[in-house]
Amino acid sequence: MPENAKKVRLDKFLTQAAELTRSEAKQKIKKGSVTVNKEFIKKPEVKISLQDRVCIDGEEVLYEQYRYIMLHKPAGVISATEDAEDRTVLDLIAEGKKGLFPVGRLDKDTEGLLLLTNDGVLAHNLLSPKKHIDKTYFAILDGPVGTKEQELFLQGLDIGDEKLALPAKLELTENKNEVFITVQEGRFHQVKRMAQAVGRNVTYLKRISMGNLVLDPNLKKGEYRSLTEKELTSLKKK
Ligand code: URA
């Protein structure tokens, strides 16, 4: 059934669209705060279509089944939905974060592109080891690297796991300590361990892209925005 043809209970719609709990939604409906296509509806069980115009106290609420957020993750927050000690990436999202989770992980000290969504299928596709989604990082190393290290990255490094890392691209820049590294996997501390395998430590790490999705240079650390339709379509193609 196309998404547009779907019908949902009004109270359920409000839990998603207005981030209310089910009982808060029921209360608002029964109190007479909710209109559907300008008509007051007082029964939470009434089924509505996703095209209907729903307002609470005259304010329209929009239903988005899935959310896709590009976050410029700063260092110091962890890639989790909750944590007893540390601030998490979800703590950076002001509203509409119900059901969101980060697609994969960046280390606490890593910055850069992190996708947050409530779309489990897309997350699964992006994270599946079989899909080999490229992830590009900018890294500052504690010493210079050159063509020898480029070769080793291309061959597939032994980073202490059962299997060698898949071939990865090491792009050199004018500053021999600063590189771009593109990996096809998402193993724990992957980039740091690859650098160590060629005798270097990563002193700064920032993810620049994931598949076709590139970190928006206008987003400052800690800022986020929804993906554009174009970004989403191209990400789904991968
Ligand atoms: N590789 C790492 O070592 N750390 C990250 O956060 C991401 C990739």
Side-chain angles (χ1 to χ4, degrees):
M1 182 167 38
E3 183 65 18
N4 289 352
K6 240 163 97 178
K7 292 225 160 204
V8 284
R9 280 177 58 124
L10 180 56
D11 55 354
K12 177 129 193 287
F13 175 98
L14 291 180
T15 61
Q16 186 95 11
E19 279 212 80
L20 299 174
T21 63
R22 196 74 166 238
S23 64
E24 285 167 346
K26 282 184 177 157
Q27 262 181 17
K28 288 221 180 275
I29 297 166
K30 288 183 180 161
K31 217 172 80 183
S33 303
V34 179
T35 55
V36 178
N37 302 329
K38 298 196 175 151
E39 189 189 329
F40 284 97
I41 304 287
K42 291 196 166 182
K43 290 187 178 158
E45 67 277 14
V46 164
K47 291 213 163 171
I48 64 159
S49 117
L50 299 183
Q51 273 73 61
D52 288 333
R53 185 163 190 270
V54 180
C55 298
I56 301 179
D57 299 323
E59 286 276 319
E60 184 168 8
V61 286
L62 296 173
Y63 183 91
E64 278 182 288
Q65 189 184 17
Y66 292 123
R67 296 197 70 199
Y68 305 92
I69 289 179
M70 174 191 293
L71 168 72
H72 186 163
K73 178 192 172 299
V77 294
I78 59 168
S79 302
T81 51
E82 54 183 12
D83 192 81
E85 283 160 26
D86 284 305
R87 284 216 312 153
T88 73
V89 287
L90 274 202
D91 292 329
L92 300 173
I93 309 297
E95 54 190 30
K97 58 181 157 189
K98 193 169 153 218
L100 287 186
F101 56 87
V103 178
R105 297 166 140 264
L106 291 177
D107 295 336
K108 188 172 171 182
D109 58 356
T110 301
E111 298 179 348
L113 174 66
L114 189 65
L115 177 65
L116 302 171
T117 186
N118 54 351
D119 180 346
V121 174
L122 180 71
H124 174 80
N125 285 337
L126 289 172
L127 296 176
S128 164
K130 288 188 201 132
K131 299 262 168 136
H132 296 180
I133 301 287
D134 281 350
K135 284 153 288 259
T136 298
Y137 295 84
F138 169 70
I140 303 182
L141 308 174
D142 63 354
V145 284
T147 48
K148 188 179 92 204
E149 287 77 13
Q150 262 182 326
E151 262 308 303
L152 294 169
F153 268 66
L154 267 185
Q155 282 166 21
L157 290 163
D158 180 354
I159 57 171
D161 292 341
E162 227 170 77
K163 285 190 181 163
L164 294 184
L166 287 176
K169 197 159 105 188
L170 177 67
E171 285 171 73
L172 306 173
T173 67
E174 264 179 31
N175 182 336
K176 297 257 181 296
N177 289 25
E178 298 184 357
V179 290
F180 289 93
I181 296 174
T182 302
V183 298
Q184 310 175 43
E185 305 160 283
R187 298 193 205 175
F188 182 63
H189 292 335
Q190 172 135 8
V191 172
K192 291 174 185 164
R193 288 195 289 149
M194 289 171 96
Q196 275 161 6
V198 298
R200 294 284 172 235
N201 287 308
V202 170
T203 58
Y204 172 81
L205 192 60
K206 176 179 183 179
R207 184 156 64 193
I208 306 295
S209 67
M210 181 179 194
N212 297 326
L213 189 64
V214 180
L215 179 65
D216 182 340
N218 295 317
L219 286 181
K220 300 198 184 83
K221 288 177 210 174
E223 289 184 348
Y224 59 90
R225 66 160 171 80
S226 291
L227 296 196
T228 62
E229 278 302 318
K230 202 169 152 203
E231 284 170 334
L232 184 58
T233 310
S234 127
L235 194 60
K236 283 185 172 172
K237 265 197 212 135
K238 247 304 195 170

